[in-house]
Amino acid sequence: MSNLFVQTCRVTTLILLLLFASTYGLAQSLGKPKSAAPEAHAPDSPNILRQMNSALEDLAAKVSPAVVQIQTTGYGPLSEGSRGEAALIVRQHAVGSGVIVDSNGYIMTNAHVVEGAQRIRVALPMLASSPANAPAGQRPVLDAKLIGVHKESDLALLKIEQTNLPTLSLEEPQNIRVGQLVLAVGSPEGLQNSVTMGVISAVARRADPAKSLNYVQTDAPINPGNSGGPLVDMDGHVVGLNTFILTQSGGSEGLGFAIPARVVSFVYRSLRKYGHVHHVEIGAAAQEISQTLAEGLGLPRSWGVIVDDVVPGGPAESAGLKVQDIVLTADDRPIETMSALTAATYLHNPDRLMKLEILRGTGANVEKKILYVPAVEKHDQMDLLMDATDPEKSLVPRLGVLAIDITDQLRSAVGTPRIPGGVVVVGRAADLIVSESGLQTGDIIHSLNTKAIDSMETLRSVVHDLKSGASVVLQIERDGGLQYLAFEME
């Protein structure tokens, strides 16, 4: 395209804009009564803009103090070398965001922000209680403990030793709509307390077909480092936690996704109470309806979700649920896909009955029914380990964890280890200030500095003999794979 053509286009556009402005001004003047006196004041538009600007400033000032920067340190390959070359392992740093959900130092963030971290630190915004002589821009930075991780929802709970912190609530009622204005707050590219604005693009976007979780989609600019920061509405209510973007350039392209606040709230309560997430089950299974399935069974509709199994003697059977019932709603949430049913079950409060609206029958005998099904809490296998834990006998203070021997009674929860023997970590002691070992619930410790660990007695003895500053290498088994954790003993 020639420069002359570009210039011609620009001139033509300018002329059209001038003609439009002139025509609009003439129409406005012709539309006024002849007796009307010239306006003595400016239009209202600037005042509206000032009001909006002031509201946005107030909103940013309200939510920013509860948003923190998360700094993680771990080890990883510098780059992939040629075949046969040893990879260069270096200390790596990463930055994410988090939101304070309890004034006593509980912080929610993304699981991928803290994955593989050997040390987690939290940089707080400047608070009213900060020293008056603190240098400009300096932020309090505190060590954080990892309380629990839920990889399925990509959420994690951290704890710092600080009180009277500003918070954002996850319990506010949500009625989010497409087109609604929102702010994203976080640390994109490490720039703490950055605020961007956009709208909600979709309220229930299933971005990953392999997962049942639906996300809130937004065009508010989100970049690496925003992960774990809140997406808030104009009232300062948390809409969700920003978690990932779809991009080809590596930067924001207006396709950001946040984990809905109700999911964050549910996971937070479970992680804080148990260290892992509990689900509920009703003793029934279902599948999506296809055109062929509908025609073969003579169903009244060819889409949605149909019950294909009811466990004898289970909660669903006792409530009257039957095979071939079509689920219309669960807890008043429309159910059109299996992901929607999974999400409704996932978020259900186990202390309440699950309300199911179902469609039953074929032909002229179709009827709607409301059933109330008891929801049974599906306990994690780790609960068996926790039940076998005696805090006084299981605590390893210098590692800051609780661990137990693998007995025959616990093998159903642990499985068959890759290496015989070992002890299994059942929790972390959040109140102890110790070396950040990187141990997680469910890890099996097989050795410490080449010394085989076959019992809690052996582990205690080896740890007791370690001097402060000593290098420690644990061989652990996690999720069926072996790996090393290396750190220095405090």
Side-chain angles (χ1 to χ4, degrees), residues 329-416:
T329 66
D331 290 337
D332 296 321
R333 294 188 178 95
I335 304 299
E336 296 182 352
T337 63
M338 274 301 298
S339 64
L341 181 59
T342 302
T345 307
Y346 185 81
L347 295 170
H348 179 76
N349 186 338
D351 296 329
R352 299 172 52 195
L353 296 174
M354 176 174 282
K355 179 183 176 183
L356 293 181
E357 181 183 13
I358 57 105
L359 196 63
R360 177 176 295 170
T362 58
N365 298 319
V366 176
E367 59 178 339
K368 286 185 179 180
K369 285 181 173 292
I370 301 294
L371 304 177
Y372 291 90
V373 184
V376 180
E377 201 166 20
K378 181 181 179 181
H379 290 282
D380 192 282
Q381 289 289 343
M382 289 305 300
D383 291 344
L384 298 176
L385 303 181
M386 291 300 296
D387 291 341
T389 302
D390 182 340
E392 294 184 0
K393 298 179 180 179
S394 302
L395 181 63
V396 186
R398 297 192 72 187
L399 295 182
V401 298
L402 292 99
I404 57 176
D405 292 322
I406 302 175
T407 64
D408 292 338
Q409 292 79 8
L410 298 178
R411 291 199 182 279
S412 61
V414 177
T416 304

Coordinates of all heavy atoms in Angstrom, one line a residue, residues 329-416:
T329 N -32.7 -29.3 36.9 CA -31.9 -28.3 37.8 C -31.4 -29.0 39.0 O -31.9 -30.1 39.4 CB -32.8 -27.1 38.2 OG1 -33.8 -27.6 39.1 CG2 -33.4 -26.4 37.1
A330 N -30.3 -28.5 39.5 CA -29.7 -29.0 40.8 C -29.4 -27.8 41.6 O -28.7 -26.9 41.2 CB -28.4 -29.8 40.5
D331 N -30.1 -27.7 42.8 CA -30.0 -26.5 43.7 C -30.4 -25.3 42.9 O -29.7 -24.2 43.0 CB -28.6 -26.4 44.3 CG -28.3 -27.5 45.3 OD1 -29.2 -28.0 45.9 OD2 -27.1 -27.8 45.5
D332 N -31.4 -25.4 42.0 CA -31.9 -24.3 41.2 C -31.0 -23.8 40.1 O -31.3 -22.8 39.5 CB -32.4 -23.1 42.1 CG -33.5 -23.5 43.1 OD1 -34.4 -24.2 42.6 OD2 -33.4 -23.1 44.2
R333 N -29.9 -24.6 39.9 CA -29.0 -24.2 38.8 C -29.4 -25.1 37.6 O -29.5 -26.3 37.7 CB -27.6 -24.5 39.1 CG -27.0 -23.6 40.2 CD -25.5 -23.8 40.4 NE -24.9 -23.0 41.4 CZ -24.7 -23.3 42.6 NH1 -25.0 -24.5 43.0 NH2 -24.2 -22.5 43.5
P334 N -29.6 -24.5 36.4 CA -30.0 -25.3 35.2 C -28.9 -26.3 34.9 O -27.7 -26.0 34.9 CB -30.0 -24.2 34.1 CG -30.2 -22.9 34.8 CD -29.5 -23.0 36.1
I335 N -29.3 -27.5 34.5 CA -28.4 -28.6 34.2 C -28.6 -29.0 32.7 O -29.6 -29.6 32.4 CB -28.6 -29.8 35.1 CG1 -28.4 -29.4 36.6 CG2 -27.6 -30.9 34.7 CD1 -27.1 -28.8 36.9
E336 N -27.7 -28.6 31.9 CA -27.8 -29.0 30.5 C -26.6 -29.8 30.0 O -26.7 -30.4 28.9 CB -27.9 -27.7 29.6 CG -29.2 -26.9 29.9 CD -29.3 -25.7 29.0 OE1 -28.3 -25.4 28.2 OE2 -30.3 -25.0 29.0
T337 N -25.6 -29.9 30.8 CA -24.4 -30.6 30.5 C -23.9 -31.4 31.7 O -24.2 -31.0 32.9 CB -23.2 -29.7 29.9 OG1 -22.9 -28.8 31.0 CG2 -23.7 -29.0 28.7
M338 N -23.0 -32.4 31.5 CA -22.5 -33.1 32.7 C -21.6 -32.1 33.5 O -21.5 -32.3 34.7 CB -21.6 -34.3 32.2 CG -22.5 -35.5 32.0 SD -23.3 -36.1 33.5 CE -21.9 -36.4 34.6
S339 N -20.9 -31.2 32.8 CA -20.0 -30.3 33.6 C -20.9 -29.4 34.5 O -20.4 -29.1 35.6 CB -19.3 -29.4 32.6 OG -20.1 -28.6 31.8
A340 N -22.1 -29.1 34.1 CA -22.9 -28.3 35.0 C -23.4 -29.1 36.2 O -23.4 -28.6 37.3 CB -24.2 -27.8 34.2
L341 N -23.7 -30.4 36.0 CA -24.1 -31.2 37.1 C -22.9 -31.5 38.0 O -23.1 -31.4 39.3 CB -24.6 -32.6 36.6 CG -25.1 -33.6 37.6 CD1 -26.2 -33.0 38.5 CD2 -25.6 -34.9 37.0
T342 N -21.8 -31.7 37.5 CA -20.6 -31.9 38.3 C -20.3 -30.7 39.1 O -20.0 -30.8 40.3 CB -19.3 -32.2 37.4 OG1 -19.6 -33.4 36.6 CG2 -18.1 -32.5 38.3
A343 N -20.4 -29.5 38.5 CA -20.1 -28.2 39.2 C -21.1 -28.0 40.4 O -20.8 -27.6 41.5 CB -20.2 -27.1 38.3
A344 N -22.4 -28.4 40.1 CA -23.5 -28.2 41.1 C -23.2 -29.1 42.3 O -23.4 -28.7 43.5 CB -24.8 -28.5 40.5
T345 N -22.8 -30.4 42.0 CA -22.5 -31.3 43.1 C -21.2 -30.9 43.9 O -21.2 -31.0 45.1 CB -22.3 -32.7 42.5 OG1 -23.4 -33.1 41.7 CG2 -22.1 -33.7 43.6
Y346 N -20.3 -30.4 43.1 CA -19.0 -29.9 43.6 C -19.2 -28.8 44.6 O -18.5 -28.7 45.7 CB -18.2 -29.5 42.4 CG -16.7 -29.1 42.7 CD1 -15.8 -30.1 42.9 CD2 -16.4 -27.8 42.9 CE1 -14.5 -29.7 43.1 CE2 -15.1 -27.4 43.1 CZ -14.1 -28.4 43.2 OH -12.8 -28.0 43.5
L347 N -20.1 -27.9 44.3 CA -20.3 -26.7 45.2 C -21.4 -26.9 46.3 O -21.6 -26.0 47.1 CB -20.7 -25.5 44.3 CG -19.7 -25.0 43.3 CD1 -20.3 -24.0 42.3 CD2 -18.5 -24.4 44.0
H348 N -22.0 -28.0 46.3 CA -23.1 -28.2 47.2 C -22.7 -28.3 48.6 O -21.7 -28.9 49.0 CB -23.9 -29.5 46.9 CG -25.0 -29.7 47.8 ND1 -26.2 -29.1 47.7 CD2 -25.2 -30.6 48.8 CE1 -27.0 -29.5 48.7 NE2 -26.4 -30.4 49.4
N349 N -23.4 -27.6 49.5 CA -23.1 -27.6 51.0 C -23.5 -29.0 51.5 O -24.7 -29.3 51.5 CB -23.8 -26.5 51.7 CG -23.4 -26.4 53.1 OD1 -23.0 -27.3 53.7 ND2 -23.7 -25.2 53.7
P350 N -22.6 -29.7 52.1 CA -23.0 -31.1 52.6 C -23.9 -31.1 53.7 O -24.5 -32.1 54.1 CB -21.6 -31.7 52.9 CG -20.7 -30.6 53.2 CD -21.2 -29.5 52.2
D351 N -24.1 -29.9 54.4 CA -25.0 -29.8 55.5 C -26.5 -29.7 55.0 O -27.4 -29.6 55.9 CB -24.7 -28.6 56.4 CG -23.3 -28.8 57.0 OD1 -22.9 -30.0 57.2 OD2 -22.6 -27.8 57.2
R352 N -26.7 -29.5 53.7 CA -28.1 -29.3 53.2 C -28.5 -30.4 52.3 O -27.6 -31.1 51.7 CB -28.2 -28.0 52.5 CG -27.9 -26.8 53.4 CD -27.8 -25.5 52.5 NE -29.0 -25.4 51.7 CZ -29.0 -24.5 50.7 NH1 -28.0 -23.8 50.4 NH2 -30.2 -24.4 50.0
L353 N -29.8 -30.6 52.1 CA -30.3 -31.6 51.1 C -30.1 -31.0 49.7 O -30.2 -29.7 49.5 CB -31.7 -31.9 51.3 CG -32.1 -32.6 52.6 CD1 -33.6 -32.7 52.7 CD2 -31.5 -34.0 52.7
M354 N -29.8 -31.8 48.7 CA -29.6 -31.3 47.3 C -31.0 -31.3 46.7 O -31.7 -32.4 46.6 CB -28.6 -32.2 46.5 CG -28.6 -31.7 45.1 SD -27.3 -32.6 44.2 CE -25.8 -31.7 44.7
K355 N -31.4 -30.2 46.2 CA -32.7 -30.1 45.5 C -32.5 -30.4 44.0 O -31.8 -29.7 43.3 CB -33.2 -28.6 45.6 CG -34.6 -28.4 44.9 CD -35.0 -27.0 45.1 CE -36.3 -26.7 44.3 NZ -36.7 -25.3 44.4
L356 N -33.2 -31.4 43.5 CA -33.2 -31.9 42.1 C -34.5 -31.7 41.5 O -35.5 -32.2 42.1 CB -32.7 -33.3 42.0 CG -31.3 -33.7 42.4 CD1 -31.0 -35.1 42.1 CD2 -30.3 -32.8 41.6
E357 N -34.6 -31.0 40.4 CA -35.8 -31.0 39.6 C -35.6 -32.0 38.4 O -34.7 -31.8 37.7 CB -36.1 -29.6 39.1 CG -37.4 -29.5 38.3 CD -37.7 -28.2 37.7 OE1 -36.7 -27.3 37.7 OE2 -38.8 -27.9 37.2
I358 N -36.5 -32.9 38.3 CA -36.3 -34.0 37.3 C -37.5 -34.1 36.4 O -38.6 -33.7 36.8 CB -35.9 -35.3 37.9 CG1 -37.0 -35.8 38.9 CG2 -34.6 -35.2 38.6 CD1 -37.9 -36.9 38.4
L359 N -37.3 -34.6 35.2 CA -38.3 -34.9 34.2 C -38.4 -36.5 34.1 O -37.4 -37.1 33.8 CB -38.0 -34.3 32.9 CG -39.1 -34.2 31.8 CD1 -40.2 -33.2 32.4 CD2 -38.5 -33.6 30.5
R360 N -39.6 -37.0 34.3 CA -39.7 -38.5 34.4 C -40.8 -38.9 33.4 O -41.9 -38.3 33.3 CB -40.0 -38.9 35.8 CG -40.2 -40.4 35.9 CD -40.5 -40.8 37.4 NE -39.2 -40.6 38.2 CZ -39.2 -40.7 39.5 NH1 -40.3 -40.9 40.2 NH2 -38.1 -40.5 40.1
G361 N -40.6 -40.1 32.8 CA -41.6 -40.7 31.9 C -41.4 -40.4 30.4 O -40.5 -39.7 30.0
T362 N -42.2 -41.0 29.6 CA -42.1 -40.9 28.1 C -43.5 -40.6 27.6 O -44.5 -40.9 28.3 CB -41.5 -42.1 27.5 OG1 -42.3 -43.3 27.8 CG2 -40.1 -42.3 28.0
G363 N -43.6 -40.2 26.4 CA -44.9 -40.0 25.7 C -45.8 -39.0 26.5 O -45.4 -37.9 26.9
A364 N -47.0 -39.5 26.7 CA -48.0 -38.6 27.4 C -47.9 -38.7 28.9 O -48.6 -38.0 29.6 CB -49.4 -39.1 27.0
N365 N -47.0 -39.5 29.4 CA -46.8 -39.7 30.8 C -45.6 -39.0 31.4 O -45.1 -39.4 32.4 CB -46.7 -41.2 31.1 CG -47.9 -42.0 30.7 OD1 -49.1 -41.5 30.9 ND2 -47.7 -43.2 30.2
V366 N -45.3 -37.9 30.8 CA -44.1 -37.1 31.3 C -44.6 -36.2 32.4 O -45.6 -35.5 32.3 CB -43.5 -36.3 30.1 CG1 -42.4 -35.4 30.7 CG2 -43.0 -37.2 29.0
E367 N -43.8 -36.1 33.5 CA -44.1 -35.3 34.6 C -42.8 -34.7 35.2 O -41.8 -35.4 35.2 CB -44.9 -36.0 35.6 CG -44.2 -37.2 36.2 CD -45.0 -37.9 37.3 OE1 -45.9 -37.2 37.9 OE2 -44.8 -39.1 37.6
K368 N -42.9 -33.5 35.8 CA -41.8 -32.9 36.6 C -42.0 -33.3 38.0 O -43.1 -33.3 38.6 CB -41.8 -31.4 36.4 CG -41.3 -31.0 35.0 CD -41.2 -29.4 35.0 CE -40.7 -29.0 33.6 NZ -40.6 -27.5 33.5
K369 N -40.8 -33.5 38.7 CA -40.8 -33.8 40.1 C -39.7 -33.0 40.8 O -38.7 -32.7 40.2 CB -40.7 -35.3 40.4 CG -41.9 -36.1 40.1 CD -41.6 -37.6 40.4 CE -42.9 -38.4 40.3 NZ -43.9 -38.1 41.4
I370 N -39.9 -32.7 42.0 CA -38.9 -32.1 42.9 C -38.4 -33.1 43.9 O -39.3 -33.6 44.7 CB -39.3 -30.8 43.6 CG1 -39.8 -29.8 42.5 CG2 -38.2 -30.2 44.4 CD1 -38.7 -29.2 41.7
L371 N -37.2 -33.4 43.9 CA -36.6 -34.4 44.9 C -35.6 -33.7 45.8 O -34.9 -32.8 45.3 CB -36.0 -35.6 44.2 CG -36.9 -36.4 43.2 CD1 -36.1 -37.5 42.6 CD2 -38.1 -37.0 43.9
Y372 N -35.6 -34.1 47.0 CA -34.5 -33.6 48.0 C -33.7 -34.8 48.4 O -34.1 -35.7 49.1 CB -35.2 -32.9 49.2 CG -35.9 -31.6 48.8 CD1 -37.2 -31.6 48.4 CD2 -35.2 -30.4 48.8 CE1 -37.9 -30.5 48.1 CE2 -35.8 -29.2 48.4 CZ -37.2 -29.3 48.1 OH -37.8 -28.1 47.7
V373 N -32.4 -34.7 47.9 CA -31.5 -35.9 48.1 C -30.4 -35.6 49.1 O -29.8 -34.6 49.0 CB -30.8 -36.2 46.7 CG1 -30.0 -37.5 46.9 CG2 -31.8 -36.4 45.6
P374 N -30.3 -36.5 50.1 CA -29.2 -36.3 51.1 C -27.8 -36.3 50.4 O -27.6 -37.3 49.6 CB -29.3 -37.4 52.1 CG -30.8 -37.9 51.9 CD -31.1 -37.6 50.4
A375 N -27.0 -35.4 50.6 CA -25.6 -35.4 50.0 C -24.6 -35.9 51.0 O -24.5 -35.4 52.1 CB -25.2 -34.0 49.6
V376 N -24.0 -37.0 50.7 CA -23.0 -37.6 51.6 C -21.6 -37.1 51.3 O -21.2 -37.1 50.1 CB -23.0 -39.2 51.4 CG1 -22.0 -39.8 52.4 CG2 -24.5 -39.7 51.7
E377 N -20.9 -36.7 52.3 CA -19.6 -36.2 52.1 C -18.6 -37.3 51.7 O -18.5 -38.3 52.4 CB -19.1 -35.5 53.3 CG -17.9 -34.5 53.1 CD -17.7 -33.6 54.3 OE1 -18.1 -34.0 55.4 OE2 -17.1 -32.6 54.1
K378 N -18.0 -37.1 50.5 CA -17.0 -38.1 50.0 C -15.7 -37.8 50.6 O -15.0 -36.8 50.2 CB -17.0 -38.1 48.5 CG -16.0 -39.1 47.9 CD -16.0 -39.0 46.4 CE -15.1 -40.0 45.8 NZ -15.0 -39.9 44.3
H379 N -15.3 -38.6 51.6 CA -14.0 -38.3 52.2 C -12.8 -38.7 51.4 O -12.8 -39.7 50.8 CB -13.9 -39.0 53.6 CG -14.9 -38.5 54.6 ND1 -14.6 -37.3 55.3 CD2 -16.1 -38.9 55.0 CE1 -15.7 -37.1 56.1 NE2 -16.6 -38.0 55.9
D380 N -11.8 -37.8 51.5 CA -10.6 -38.1 50.8 C -9.8 -39.2 51.5 O -10.0 -39.4 52.7 CB -9.7 -36.8 50.8 CG -8.5 -36.9 49.9 OD1 -7.5 -37.5 50.2 OD2 -8.6 -36.2 48.8
Q381 N -9.0 -39.9 50.7 CA -8.3 -41.0 51.3 C -7.3 -40.5 52.4 O -7.0 -41.2 53.3 CB -7.4 -41.7 50.2 CG -8.2 -42.6 49.2 CD -8.8 -43.8 49.9 OE1 -8.4 -44.2 51.0 NE2 -9.8 -44.4 49.3
M382 N -6.9 -39.2 52.3 CA -6.0 -38.7 53.3 C -6.7 -38.6 54.6 O -6.1 -38.5 55.7 CB -5.6 -37.3 52.8 CG -4.6 -37.3 51.7 SD -3.2 -38.3 51.9 CE -2.5 -37.6 53.4
D383 N -8.1 -38.6 54.7 CA -8.8 -38.6 55.9 C -8.4 -39.8 56.8 O -8.3 -39.7 58.0 CB -10.3 -38.5 55.7 CG -10.7 -37.2 55.1 OD1 -9.9 -36.2 55.2 OD2 -11.8 -37.1 54.6
L384 N -8.2 -40.9 56.1 CA -7.8 -42.1 56.9 C -6.5 -41.9 57.5 O -6.3 -42.4 58.7 CB -7.7 -43.3 55.9 CG -9.0 -43.7 55.2 CD1 -8.8 -44.9 54.2 CD2 -10.1 -44.2 56.2
L385 N -5.6 -41.2 56.8 CA -4.3 -40.9 57.4 C -4.4 -40.0 58.6 O -3.7 -40.1 59.6 CB -3.3 -40.4 56.4 CG -3.1 -41.2 55.1 CD1 -2.1 -40.6 54.2 CD2 -2.6 -42.6 55.5
M386 N -5.2 -39.0 58.4 CA -5.4 -38.0 59.5 C -6.0 -38.6 60.8 O -5.6 -38.3 61.9 CB -6.3 -36.8 59.1 CG -5.7 -35.9 58.0 SD -4.2 -35.1 58.6 CE -4.8 -34.1 59.9
D387 N -6.9 -39.6 60.6 CA -7.5 -40.3 61.7 C -6.5 -41.1 62.5 O -6.6 -41.4 63.7 CB -8.6 -41.2 61.2 CG -9.8 -40.4 60.7 OD1 -10.0 -39.2 61.0 OD2 -10.6 -41.0 60.0
A388 N -5.4 -41.5 61.7 CA -4.4 -42.3 62.4 C -3.3 -41.5 63.0 O -2.3 -42.0 63.4 CB -3.8 -43.3 61.4
T389 N -3.4 -40.2 62.9 CA -2.3 -39.3 63.3 C -2.5 -38.9 64.8 O -3.6 -38.4 65.2 CB -2.3 -38.0 62.4 OG1 -2.2 -38.4 61.1 CG2 -1.2 -37.1 62.8
D390 N -1.4 -39.0 65.5 CA -1.3 -38.5 66.9 C -0.4 -37.3 66.8 O 0.8 -37.5 66.6 CB -0.8 -39.6 67.8 CG -0.7 -39.1 69.3 OD1 -0.7 -37.8 69.5 OD2 -0.6 -39.9 70.2
P391 N -0.9 -36.1 67.0 CA 0.0 -34.9 66.8 C 1.3 -34.9 67.6 O 2.3 -34.5 67.1 CB -0.9 -33.7 67.2 CG -2.3 -34.2 67.0 CD -2.3 -35.7 67.3
E392 N 1.2 -35.5 68.8 CA 2.4 -35.5 69.6 C 3.5 -36.5 69.1 O 4.7 -36.2 69.1 CB 2.1 -35.9 71.1 CG 1.2 -34.8 71.8 CD 0.9 -35.2 73.2 OE1 1.4 -36.3 73.6 OE2 0.2 -34.4 73.9
K393 N 3.0 -37.6 68.5 CA 3.9 -38.6 68.0 C 4.3 -38.4 66.6 O 5.3 -38.8 66.1 CB 3.3 -40.0 68.2 CG 3.1 -40.4 69.6 CD 2.5 -41.8 69.7 CE 2.2 -42.2 71.1 NZ 1.6 -43.6 71.2
S394 N 3.4 -37.7 65.8 CA 3.6 -37.5 64.4 C 4.4 -36.3 64.0 O 5.0 -36.2 62.9 CB 2.3 -37.5 63.7 OG 1.5 -38.6 64.0
L395 N 4.5 -35.3 64.9 CA 5.2 -34.1 64.5 C 6.7 -34.2 64.4 O 7.3 -34.8 65.3 CB 4.9 -33.0 65.6 CG 5.5 -31.6 65.3 CD1 4.9 -31.0 64.1 CD2 5.2 -30.7 66.5
V396 N 7.3 -33.7 63.3 CA 8.7 -33.6 63.1 C 9.0 -32.1 63.1 O 9.0 -31.5 62.0 CB 9.2 -34.3 61.8 CG1 10.7 -34.3 61.7 CG2 8.6 -35.7 61.7
P397 N 9.3 -31.6 64.3 CA 9.4 -30.1 64.4 C 10.4 -29.4 63.4 O 10.1 -28.4 62.8 CB 9.8 -29.9 65.8 CG 9.4 -31.1 66.5 CD 9.6 -32.2 65.5
R398 N 11.5 -30.0 63.2 CA 12.6 -29.3 62.4 C 12.2 -29.4 60.9 O 12.7 -28.6 60.1 CB 13.9 -30.0 62.6 CG 14.4 -29.9 64.0 CD 15.9 -30.3 64.1 NE 16.8 -29.3 63.5 CZ 18.1 -29.4 63.3 NH1 18.7 -30.6 63.7 NH2 18.8 -28.5 62.8
L399 N 11.3 -30.3 60.5 CA 10.8 -30.3 59.1 C 9.4 -29.6 59.0 O 9.0 -29.3 57.9 CB 10.7 -31.7 58.6 CG 12.0 -32.5 58.4 CD1 11.6 -33.9 57.9 CD2 12.9 -31.8 57.5
G400 N 8.8 -29.3 60.2 CA 7.5 -28.6 60.2 C 6.4 -29.4 59.6 O 5.4 -28.9 59.0
V401 N 6.4 -30.8 59.7 CA 5.4 -31.6 59.1 C 4.9 -32.7 60.2 O 5.7 -32.9 61.1 CB 5.9 -32.4 57.9 CG1 6.2 -31.4 56.8 CG2 7.0 -33.3 58.2
L402 N 3.8 -33.2 59.9 CA 3.3 -34.4 60.6 C 3.4 -35.6 59.7 O 2.9 -35.5 58.5 CB 1.9 -34.2 61.1 CG 1.7 -33.2 62.2 CD1 1.2 -31.9 61.6 CD2 0.7 -33.7 63.3
A403 N 4.0 -36.7 60.1 CA 4.1 -37.9 59.3 C 3.9 -39.1 60.1 O 3.9 -39.1 61.4 CB 5.5 -37.9 58.7
I404 N 3.5 -40.2 59.4 CA 3.3 -41.5 60.1 C 3.9 -42.6 59.3 O 4.1 -42.5 58.1 CB 1.7 -41.7 60.3 CG1 1.0 -41.7 58.9 CG2 1.1 -40.7 61.2 CD1 -0.4 -42.0 59.0
D405 N 4.0 -43.7 60.1 CA 4.5 -45.0 59.4 C 3.4 -45.5 58.5 O 2.2 -45.3 58.7 CB 4.9 -46.0 60.5 CG 6.1 -45.6 61.3 OD1 7.0 -45.1 60.7 OD2 6.1 -45.9 62.5
I406 N 3.8 -46.2 57.4 CA 2.9 -46.9 56.5 C 2.6 -48.2 57.1 O 3.4 -49.2 57.0 CB 3.4 -46.9 55.1 CG1 3.8 -45.5 54.6 CG2 2.4 -47.6 54.2 CD1 4.4 -45.5 53.2
T407 N 1.4 -48.4 57.7 CA 1.0 -49.7 58.2 C 0.1 -50.4 57.2 O -0.3 -49.9 56.2 CB 0.2 -49.5 59.5 OG1 -1.0 -48.8 59.3 CG2 1.1 -48.7 60.5
D408 N -0.2 -51.7 57.5 CA -1.0 -52.5 56.7 C -2.4 -51.9 56.6 O -3.1 -51.9 55.5 CB -1.1 -53.9 57.2 CG 0.2 -54.7 57.0 OD1 1.0 -54.2 56.2 OD2 0.4 -55.7 57.8
Q409 N -2.9 -51.2 57.7 CA -4.2 -50.7 57.7 C -4.3 -49.4 56.8 O -5.4 -49.0 56.4 CB -4.6 -50.3 59.1 CG -4.8 -51.4 60.1 CD -3.5 -52.0 60.6 OE1 -2.5 -51.5 60.3 NE2 -3.6 -53.2 61.3
L410 N -3.2 -48.8 56.5 CA -3.2 -47.5 55.7 C -2.8 -47.7 54.3 O -2.8 -46.8 53.5 CB -2.2 -46.5 56.4 CG -2.6 -46.1 57.8 CD1 -1.5 -45.2 58.4 CD2 -3.9 -45.5 57.9
R411 N -2.5 -48.9 53.9 CA -2.0 -49.1 52.5 C -3.1 -48.8 51.5 O -2.8 -48.5 50.3 CB -1.5 -50.6 52.3 CG -0.2 -50.8 53.1 CD 0.6 -52.0 52.6 NE 1.7 -52.2 53.4 CZ 2.9 -51.5 53.3 NH1 3.0 -50.6 52.3 NH2 3.9 -51.7 54.1
S412 N -4.4 -48.9 51.9 CA -5.4 -48.6 50.9 C -5.4 -47.1 50.6 O -5.8 -46.7 49.5 CB -6.8 -49.0 51.5 OG -7.1 -48.3 52.7
A413 N -5.0 -46.3 51.5 CA -5.0 -44.9 51.3 C -3.7 -44.5 50.6 O -3.7 -43.5 49.8 CB -5.1 -44.1 52.6
V414 N -2.6 -45.2 50.9 CA -1.3 -44.8 50.4 C -1.0 -45.5 49.0 O -0.4 -44.9 48.1 CB -0.2 -45.2 51.4 CG1 1.2 -44.9 50.8 CG2 -0.4 -44.4 52.7
G415 N -1.5 -46.7 48.8 CA -1.2 -47.4 47.6 C 0.1 -48.2 47.8 O 0.6 -48.3 48.9
T416 N 0.6 -48.7 46.7 CA 1.9 -49.4 46.8 C 3.0 -48.5 46.4 O 3.1 -48.1 45.3 CB 1.9 -50.6 45.8 OG1 0.7 -51.5 46.1 CG2 3.1 -51.4 45.9

